[in-house]
Amino acid sequence: LVNILLIQLKRIGDLILTTPAIAALRETFPEAKLTLVMSREGAALAPAIIGIDRTLVVRRNLSDAGDFFSVASSKFDYCVDFTRNDRSAFLAFLSRAEKRVVSYRVTRTSKFRRGAYNEFVQRRMRDMHTIDYNLSLLEPLGIHNLSPPVQLNLPAAAFEKASTLRRQAKIDDPFIVFHPGSARAEKFWQTDRWADVISHATAHEEVNAVLTGGTSALEKAHLAEIESKLPRPQNFSRSIVDLSGKIDLLTLAALIAQARLVVTIDTASMHLAAATRTPQVVLFGPTNPFHWYPRESPALILQGESPLPLREFVSKQPRIPMNLISTQAVIDAMNALLSAPAAQAL
């Protein structure tokens, strides 16, 4: 029995973009035991990760000692580190795996990190889409030319919670999920433009609007400002419901799966929409879509002053302010995905 340790301690989006690599491992080693070590931020997604036999959660406190002991006491054949920091290097070292794989870039950091591994893949994340980078780390295990899609297997309970919540909040079909928030304020788009886009959707497209977001004070303030700029309820032909900070991650994923469309910035909701194949309009600014754009769901990517969605991406580009994206560009992209041809493609 092949015993494989996978280490992904980054954010939710990074975890979702690791699922193709997990699928490739499962296809290549169908009888293997796969253990995934994840961060506390991504722990809520554990029930939806396909192909994993065991999960360990690093919470960055004393409770991690048990997980470290579990890794050290197991006999791993392979260890693949998708994270490349001190904590993941320590876990790789503890695994004592015959092959401990990481990007060669780790050799340019500390001696401690370098000494934790014995297989170094000659790939740079900045040259590749994140999915392809993660898949490239499997090459020392003999895995080449496999590219499974991003996929989550959401539990039935998540859909039940989403449906119950929709009944209680009177969110009828069709509805659009708007996700303006992020942990990084530099990704925020202007609140008045969000208000204009939401107003257009509810007044002209006759869809319900659902606002989602995180629980941080920063995101809450951003959402509150957007809502303060929306017209009074009687001016809408459909409803607007604020669910930001009120639902867990799996319920959000199920809600996105049921949505007609998602309009979001580059954050976890984008990756959830990709995993559930929900059409989406994505606003990019300081991050480069070359590395992160959705490849599965019907997606229109907006960045900078272009009035049209991007169709080509480059690996190197300057940081682009979010405020260069026009309101009309977002409305046009939204209308395009709500159109009849787009609906038939779903």
Side-chain angles (χ1 to χ4, degrees), residues 47-65:
I49 304 294
I50 302 170
I52 293 298
D53 299 293
R54 181 174 64 145
T55 58
L56 302 173
V57 179
V58 171
R59 302 186 184 278
R60 299 190 288 276
N61 57 36
L62 291 177
S63 67
D64 291 343

Side-chain angles (χ1 to χ4, degrees), residues 77 98 117 129 149 157 173 179 208 228 256 265 273 285 299 301 316 339:
D77 299 286
E98 179 182 343
Y117 311 94
H129 192 283
D173 287 323
H179 193 102
N208 292 301
S228 72
I256 285 174
I265 60 172
I301 309 301
K316 294 181 181 180
S339 66

Side-chain angles (χ1 to χ4, degrees), residues 266-282:
D266 162 34
T267 192
S269 55
M270 173 185 73
H271 301 294
L272 292 173
T276 57
R277 308 300 185 267
T278 304
Q280 58 180 320
V281 177
V282 188

Side-chain angles (χ1 to χ4, degrees), residues 8-16 36-47 49 56-61 64 83 85 87 152 183 214-215 219 247-250 252 267-269 272:
Q8 178 52 280
L9 304 181
K10 293 184 181 179
R11 294 161 296 187
I12 296 168
D14 298 270
L15 175 61
I16 295 172
L36 173 64
V37 186
M38 63 177 66
S39 68
R40 62 186 178 190
E41 291 83 1
L45 275 185
I49 304 294
L56 302 173
V57 179
V58 171
R59 302 186 184 278
R60 299 190 288 276
N61 57 36
D64 291 343
T83 309
N85 63 17
R87 191 172 284 102
L152 295 174
T215 58
E219 286 193 57
I247 54 177
D248 59 66
L249 193 59
L250 286 177
L252 173 61
T267 192
S269 55
L272 292 173

Side-chain angles (χ1 to χ4, degrees), residues 231-246:
R232 290 192 298 270
Q234 59 263 34
N235 293 339
F236 296 114
S237 59
R238 303 300 291 270
S239 66
I240 298 178
V241 179
D242 181 4
L243 297 180
S244 58
K246 301 174 184 176

Side-chain angles (χ1 to χ4, degrees), residues 256-267:
I256 285 174
Q258 295 172 350
R260 177 65 183 82
L261 177 67
V262 174
V263 183
T264 179
I265 60 172
D266 162 34
T267 192

Side-chain angles (χ1 to χ4, degrees), residues 200-221:
H200 174 88
T202 53
H204 300 287
E205 299 301 330
E206 295 191 350
V207 296
N208 292 301
V210 177
L211 306 183
T212 60
T215 58
S216 72
L218 187 68
E219 286 193 57
K220 286 182 177 179

Side-chain angles (χ1 to χ4, degrees), residues 13-92:
D14 298 270
L15 175 61
I16 295 172
L17 296 188
T18 308
T19 60
I22 295 171
L25 280 164
R26 179 55 69 198
E27 180 178 341
T28 306
F29 301 100
E31 304 300 323
K33 181 177 181 180
L34 300 185
T35 298
L36 173 64
V37 186
M38 63 177 66
S39 68
R40 62 186 178 190
E41 291 83 1
L45 275 185
I49 304 294
I50 302 170
I52 293 298
D53 299 293
R54 181 174 64 145
T55 58
L56 302 173
V57 179
V58 171
R59 302 186 184 278
R60 299 190 288 276
N61 57 36
L62 291 177
S63 67
D64 291 343
D67 290 338
F68 290 159
F69 177 78
S70 179
V71 170
S73 61
S74 302
K75 175 57 179 133
F76 290 102
D77 299 286
Y78 305 129
C79 171
V80 182
D81 182 5
F82 300 99
T83 309
R84 214 176 67 203
N85 63 17
D86 285 345
R87 191 172 284 102
S88 64
F90 184 55
L91 284 163

